């Protein structure tokens, strides 16, 4: 675990590419997914054909609550 900010730890990252069919599928399942902002270019996820992302689990040190997170490290629009 890595401490990312005050009271939050991050698990190991898994780097993978998310292509257009999966972006479309995840956007349809959760409308908010397509509206997330790309960390690289600033556009919505929905306008991309490909995103390379680090996915990891974050943990609140105090409550031990966990949640998934994703940081885009490369995209087809940059």
């Amino acid at each position: 675990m890595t401490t990312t900010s005050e009271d939050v730890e991050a698990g190991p990252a898994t780097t993978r590419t998310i292509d257009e069919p999966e972006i479309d599928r995840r956007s349809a399942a959760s409308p908010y997914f397509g509206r997330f902002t790309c960390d690289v270019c600033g556009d919505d996820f929905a306008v991309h054909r490909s995103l390379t992302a680090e996915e990891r689990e974050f943990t609140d040190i105090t409550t031990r609550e966990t949640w998934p997170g994703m940081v885009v490290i490369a995209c087809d629009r940059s």
Side-chain angles (χ1 to χ4, degrees):
M1 290 272 188
T2 304
T3 302
T4 58
S5 65
E6 191 173 316
D7 297 330
V8 176
E9 292 179 333
T14 301
T15 302
R16 68 186 197 95
T17 299
I18 303 170
D19 292 319
E20 191 171 19
E22 183 176 353
I23 293 170
D24 292 346
R25 203 170 34 253
R26 290 175 75 169
S27 295
S30 173
Y32 295 107
F33 182 84
R35 296 174 65 192
F36 289 146
T37 302
C38 175
D39 299 302
V40 176
C41 72
D43 289 337
D44 290 350
F45 282 8
V47 300
H48 288 79
R49 291 189 181 142
S50 177
L51 299 166
T52 301
E54 289 183 346
E55 295 179 317
R56 61 179 72 217
E57 187 172 86
F58 294 96
T59 304
D60 182 298
I61 295 170
T62 306
T63 65
R64 305 311 299 167
E65 177 185 3
T66 61
W67 64 93
M70 182 170 74
V71 176
V72 177
I73 57 173
C75 74
D76 66 300
R77 298 176 66 87
S78 61

